[in-house]
Amino acid sequence: VSCWLFFFVLFEAARRTMGLAIAVIGAAFLIYPLIATYLPGALTAPTFTVDRIARSIGLFVTGIYGSILNISATIVVSFIMFGQFLNVTGAGQWFIDIAQALLGHVRGGPAKVAVLASALMGTVQGTAVGNVATTGVITIPLMKRTGYPPHIAGAIEAVASNGGQIMPPVMGIAAFIMIDFLGVPYATIIVAGLLPAIVYFVAIFFAVDFEAAKAGLAGIPRSQLPPLGKTLINGWYYLFPLAVLLFFLLYLQYSPQLSALYASAALLIVGFFKKSNRITWGMLVQATKDTAVAMMMVATVCALAGIIVATVELTGLSYRLSFLLIEIAGGNLAYLLIMTAVVCVILGMGMPTSAAYILLAILAAPALVKLGLQPMVAHFFVFYFGVSAIITPPVCPASYVAAGIADAPPMKTALSAARLGIAAFIVPFIFAYHPGLLMLGSVASIIWTFIFALISVLAAASALGGYLFRPLNTWWRAVLGIGSLMIIYPAVLTTIIGIIIIAVPVLYQLVLSRQLRLSQASDGER
C-alpha cells in the first residue's frame, strides 16, 4: 500500500512540475502490467499481481531507486549547481557582452549575438526554456530594434537556445541519462556531441545571416557596443572554471560529478581576486535555492523513468515493440529512421527533453540498433529529435516562451523556429548514415563527414531561407534542397551528385551577385 501511495505522490509531483501529460504517461506505464494480458498484439504480456508490480517498481533497484535516479542525485545536481553558481556571479551577462562585442556590429548583429550567447550559455545551463528566459530578455528586444520582425526575433532566440541542450561540455540533462543507457563515460558523450553541435550552430548562424540580408538589416554601431578588450578583462575568470571542468573531465578522466565540484570550487576561488564579482553569502544561498528548484523537475523525471524502465523490463515490451517497428518498416533502415523521427517529435511535444529521451531510448532506440545502427548513433538520433520537439509546433515551449518575450504570434514564431532550425532535423540523419560525425571511425571519415554535413545543412538553410548571395526563386531553392538531401544518402555517387547539384546554384548566384555589385558600382561612378 505504501508503494502505491508513493506512486500517487510522484505523479502529483510530475503534474505540478512538468504538466499533466508526463504524469499521465507515467501512470499509464504503471497500470500497463495490470491490464497487459487483455491487450492485443505486441502489447500483450503475462498477468502480474499488484504486490509484484509494487515491489519491482517501488522497492527494487531495477525500478524507481535505480541507476537513473542515482545519476540525478550525483552527476546532474553537481552540474546544475555549477551552472547556478555561474549565473549568480554574472556569467550570463558576460557571455552576452562578449557576443555583442564580437558580432554586434556585423549584418544582423543582434541575431548573431543571440546565437553565440545562447551557445555559450548552453554550455553551463542545458535547458532550452531557461536559456530563452535568460538571454532572450536581452537579445530579442535588440533584434526587434534593429529591424527583425517580432516572430523572427523570437524564433531565432528559441532555435539558438534550444541548441544549448546539445552543446558540450555540459549539454542537457538527457545527455547525463544517456550515460546509464550506453554505459560509457560522460567524456565520450561530450566528444561525440561536439561536431553535430558545431554543425547545428553554424547552420543557424547562416540562416540568421540570410534573414538579415533579405531584409537589408545592419548591425549596431560599435559606439553602442561593449568594448571587447574591457569586457574580456572584466570577466576572464569565468573561463577558468570551464577550463578546470574540461581538464578534470577529459584529461584526468575524473568522474563528472567530481569534475563539476572542482569547477565550482575554482569559481569560488577566482571570485576572491575581484571584489565586485566575489560570491557573497546571498549569492551562495540563491545558487543553492535555484539548484534545489531545478532538481525538483529533474528528480521527478528520473523517478518516472525508473517506472518506465521497470515496466518495460518486467513485461518485455521493448523487445516486442522493436520487432513490431522493424516489421512495419519492412526491415528498411530509411523507413525506420523516418518513423522514429516522427514518433520522437510527437512524443516530445509538451514533455521535457529528458523525459522524451528516456521514453524513446527504451521504446525506439532498440529497433534502430537491431537494424544495424551503433548504440551511440541510435541514442543520439532519438536524443536530437527529442530536442527538436521543443521548437516544433504545435506544442513547443521554447518557441512559445520566446514569442511571449517578443510579443509575437506563438504559432507564427514556432513555424519560423522550425524553419530556421532545420539543421536539428537533418543532422540526425547525417550521423545515422555517417557515424563519423559522432567521432566514430577513422580520422579521414570524421573530417569528410563533418565537411559534407556543413555543406548539406547550409544548402538546406539557404533553400528554406530563400537567399544565397542574392534572393532565390523557387527553382533554385528546390535545387539546393534536393542537393542537400542527396548528400545525406550513404553512397559515394549520390554524395558527389549532391555536391555538384549544390555547386551549380552557388556558382551561378555568386557570378550574378558579383555582376550586380559591379553594375551598381559603375552606376554610382556615373
Side-chain angles (χ1 to χ4, degrees):
V1 175
S2 60
C3 283
W4 287 94
L5 289 175
F6 172 59
F7 297 152
F8 176 79
V9 172
L10 178 60
F11 295 145
E12 176 60 16
R15 186 190 66 82
R16 295 192 180 194
T17 56
M18 294 173 291
L20 182 62
I22 185 65
V24 170
I25 290 173
F29 272 93
L30 181 63
I31 296 172
Y32 170 68
L34 292 173
I35 62 173
T37 189
Y38 305 106
L39 298 177
L43 295 177
T44 189
T47 302
F48 297 96
T49 64
V50 172
D51 184 65
R52 170 79 182 278
I53 295 170
R55 290 177 180 275
S56 298
I57 297 176
L59 296 179
F60 297 162
V61 293
T62 55
I64 292 175
Y65 297 106
S67 55
I68 296 179
L69 189 62
N70 179 61
I71 288 173
S72 77
T74 53
I75 299 176
V76 176
V77 69
S78 301
F79 276 90
I80 288 179
M81 184 172 65
F82 172 57
Q84 296 301 337
F85 276 138
L86 280 173
N87 284 338
V88 298
T89 55
Q93 184 60 51
W94 183 72
F95 287 147
I96 293 173
D97 289 343
I98 286 291
Q100 286 182 320
L102 288 172
L103 299 172
H105 65 284
V106 302
R107 181 173 69 185
K112 293 171 183 176
V113 167
V115 175
L116 181 57
S118 296
L120 293 172
M121 281 298 293
T123 63
V124 298
Q125 197 163 41
T127 62
V129 176
N131 213 343
V132 170
T134 303
T135 60
V137 293
I138 299 173
T139 59
I140 290 176
L142 275 176
M143 286 187 273
K144 290 174 65 177
R145 282 202 298 269
T146 52
Y148 279 97
H151 70 283
I152 294 295
I156 290 170
E157 180 57 43
V159 172
S161 294
N162 200 39
Q165 298 185 88
I166 60 174
M167 187 67 185
V170 177
M171 304 175 71
I173 297 167
F176 296 105
I177 300 173
M178 200 183 297
I179 298 172
D180 180 66
F181 282 108
L182 292 177
V184 298
Y186 185 61
T188 304
I189 303 293
I190 292 177
V191 172
L194 180 60
L195 293 184
I198 293 175
V199 172
Y200 178 87
F201 276 102
V202 168
I204 297 173
F205 191 88
F206 276 90
V208 163
D209 186 68
F210 297 152
E211 292 292 327
K214 285 193 299 182
L217 303 180
I220 302 172
R222 282 189 179 273
S223 59
Q224 300 178 21
L225 297 171
L228 179 59
K230 184 178 179 181
T231 304
L232 283 171
I233 291 172
N234 287 339
W236 63 269
Y237 62 89
Y238 290 125
L239 299 176
F240 181 69
L242 293 175
V244 169
L245 174 65
L246 294 176
F247 177 75
F248 279 94
L249 192 61
L250 300 179
Y251 183 75
L252 296 182
Q253 296 187 353
Y254 279 30
S255 66
Q257 59 267 37
L258 190 56
S259 301
L261 291 176
Y262 274 117
S264 300
L267 180 61
L268 293 173
I269 293 170
V270 298
F272 283 101
F273 291 100
K274 193 168 184 180
K275 186 176 180 180
S276 60
N277 293 315
R278 193 170 298 165
I279 295 181
T280 63
W281 176 253
M283 289 181 178
L284 190 63
V285 171
Q286 186 63 44
T288 52
K289 177 184 175 182
D290 292 342
T291 300
V293 171
M295 282 302 299
M296 289 171 60
M297 185 191 76
V298 175
T300 304
V301 167
C302 292
L304 287 177
I307 291 179
I308 296 172
V309 171
T311 298
V312 168
E313 289 184 356
L314 185 65
T315 61
L317 178 63
S318 177
Y319 180 80
R320 294 193 301 275
L321 279 183
S322 295
F323 275 100
L324 179 62
L325 288 172
I326 293 172
E327 183 179 348
I328 294 173
N332 187 297
L333 179 60
Y335 293 159
L336 183 59
L337 288 173
I338 294 172
M339 286 172 48
T340 304
V342 172
V343 170
C344 289
V345 172
I346 292 174
L347 290 179
M349 291 178 183
M351 289 199 332
T353 303
S354 51
Y357 165 72
I358 291 167
L359 196 60
L360 296 164
I362 296 171
L363 301 179
L368 296 175
V369 174
K370 282 186 173 67
L371 271 191
L373 289 191
Q374 298 180 52
M376 177 78 75
V377 176
H379 281 262
F380 260 92
F381 187 89
V382 298
F383 169 51
Y384 257 70
F385 274 103
V387 168
S388 302
I390 304 298
I391 59 170
T392 306
V395 183
C396 39
S399 298
Y400 289 165
V401 171
I405 297 173
D407 194 21
M411 189 54 62
K412 194 174 182 180
T413 303
L415 290 171
S416 298
R419 174 174 62 84
L420 293 172
I422 186 63
F425 304 95
I426 294 178
V427 167
F429 284 95
I430 295 176
F431 60 62
Y433 286 118
H434 307 278
L437 195 60
L438 294 178
M439 300 284 193
L440 300 173
S442 66
V443 175
S445 68
I446 291 171
I447 294 173
W448 282 114
T449 300
F450 179 60
I451 294 172
F452 292 151
L454 285 174
I455 295 172
S456 177
V457 297
L458 292 180
S462 180
L464 291 176
Y467 190 91
L468 191 53
F469 302 106
R470 56 194 297 277
L472 298 172
N473 59 31
T474 304
W475 163 253
W476 288 119
R477 294 173 70 174
V479 170
L480 284 170
I482 292 171
S484 172
L485 295 176
M486 290 193 71
I487 289 178
I488 299 175
Y489 195 77
V492 176
L493 181 60
T494 55
T495 300
I496 293 174
I497 294 174
I499 292 174
I500 293 173
I501 290 175
I502 292 173
V504 171
V506 168
L507 294 175
Y508 180 74
Q509 297 297 325
L510 181 61
V511 170
L512 280 184
S513 63
R514 187 172 182 274
Q515 289 176 347
L516 182 61
R517 285 197 302 268
L518 291 175
S519 176
Q520 291 173 343
S522 62
D523 290 343
E525 290 176 358
R526 296 196 194 100

